[in-house]
């Protein structure tokens, strides 16, 4: 279950559309967040306000740090003066949308990771492999394109790493890869 108040914040950009015209998209921004509603800038089309009847449902999309959420809202009221705004219901039917080439699956698997070079494509930055510690970690999720690893140690982006992954079938996968990014955990984003 994804909770609206943990995702939607003031100044976030939204893209909205109507169920009967899914190809017509409108940009807007969250102006205020209340316990039972959001206030958004009135969507515009070619300089004119987009007008829909009160109690109309519409769909929307929000992108936060690479995560895409799709949702449904209801128009509660609208106002032109002093600023053109819509008051909308809190989003419901919130879904995290997968835009990757490979589906990412939540999985906590044991993994050993060793940095073998501080930069994947720079031989001059090579680190002597035997001097590097082996970290015993766990994956957060896994896909055909990589794994997300939870670590207390900060791993630099673009570092070349050697991994040993224990999979539930009792087999072990050994691979060489590189870190794509390193980020602090964000407990308020599902």
């Amino acid at each position: 279950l994804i909770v609206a108040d943990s995702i939607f914040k003031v100044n976030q950009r939204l893209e909205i559309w109507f169920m009967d015209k899914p190809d017509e998209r409108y940009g807007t921004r969250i102006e205020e967040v209340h316990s039972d509603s959001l206030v958004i800038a009135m969507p515009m089309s070619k300089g004119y306000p987009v007008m829909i009847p009160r109690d109309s449902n519409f769909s929307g999309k929000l992108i936060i740090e690479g995560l895409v959420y799709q949702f449904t809202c209801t128009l509660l009221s609208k106002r032109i003066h002093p600023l053109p705004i819509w008051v909308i219901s809190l989003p419901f039917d919130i879904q995290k949308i997968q835009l990757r080439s490979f589906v990412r699956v939540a999985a906590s698997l044991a993994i050993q990771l060793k940095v073998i070079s501080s930069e994947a494509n720079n031989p001059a930055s090579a680190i002597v492999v035997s001097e590097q510690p082996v970290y015993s970690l766990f994956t957060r999720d896994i896909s055909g394109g990589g794994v997300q690893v939870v670590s207390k140690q900060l791993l630099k982006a673009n570092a070349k790493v050697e991994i040993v992954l224990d999979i539930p079938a009792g087999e072990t996968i050994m691979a060489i890869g590189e870190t794509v990014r390193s980020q602090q955990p964000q407990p308020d984003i599902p």
Side-chain angles (χ1 to χ4, degrees), residues 91-130:
F92 53 94
D93 294 337
I94 303 168
Q95 300 172 9
K96 194 185 304 186
I97 304 299
Q98 181 70 257
L99 296 180
R100 301 173 179 274
S101 299
F102 297 101
V103 174
R104 191 163 284 281
V105 177
S108 181
L109 303 172
I111 187 170
Q112 287 76 47
L113 182 143
K114 183 177 192 176
V115 176
I116 56 176
S117 173
S118 62
E119 292 181 35
N121 297 320
N122 185 356
S125 69
I127 298 172
V128 178
V129 175
S130 62

Side-chain angles (χ1 to χ4, degrees), residues 39-50:
V39 176
I40 63 172
M42 184 176 288
M44 300 285 186
S45 176
K46 299 178 183 168
Y48 293 96
V50 174

Side-chain angles (χ1 to χ4, degrees), residues 110-120 127-137 147 149 155-156 158-166 172-179:
I111 187 170
Q112 287 76 47
L113 182 143
K114 183 177 192 176
V115 176
I116 56 176
S117 173
S118 62
E119 292 181 35
I127 298 172
V128 178
V129 175
S130 62
E131 294 177 7
Q132 294 302 308
V134 175
Y135 300 110
S136 293
L137 308 170
V147 299
V149 178
L155 300 172
K156 293 172 82 175
N158 301 318
K160 193 170 185 181
V161 295
E162 178 181 84
I163 64 167
V164 178
L165 178 66
D166 297 324
T172 300
I173 297 173
M174 290 184 256
I176 303 292
E178 80 178 74
T179 58

Side-chain angles (χ1 to χ4, degrees), residues 35-106:
S35 61
D36 60 347
S37 63
L38 298 178
V39 176
I40 63 172
M42 184 176 288
M44 300 285 186
S45 176
K46 299 178 183 168
Y48 293 96
V50 174
M51 300 300 250
I52 62 170
R54 186 178 179 183
D55 297 324
S56 295
N57 285 344
F58 60 91
S59 296
K61 179 171 74 172
L62 169 68
I63 301 173
I64 310 171
E65 297 184 16
L67 300 175
V68 180
Y69 295 91
Q70 188 169 313
F71 55 89
T72 304
C73 284
T74 303
L75 176 65
L76 303 176
S77 66
K78 54 191 167 192
R79 183 174 72 214
I80 297 291
H81 297 289
L83 296 172
I85 55 123
W86 284 2
V87 178
I88 62 173
S89 67
L90 286 180
F92 53 94
D93 294 337
I94 303 168
Q95 300 172 9
K96 194 185 304 186
I97 304 299
Q98 181 70 257
L99 296 180
R100 301 173 179 274
S101 299
F102 297 101
V103 174
R104 191 163 284 281
V105 177

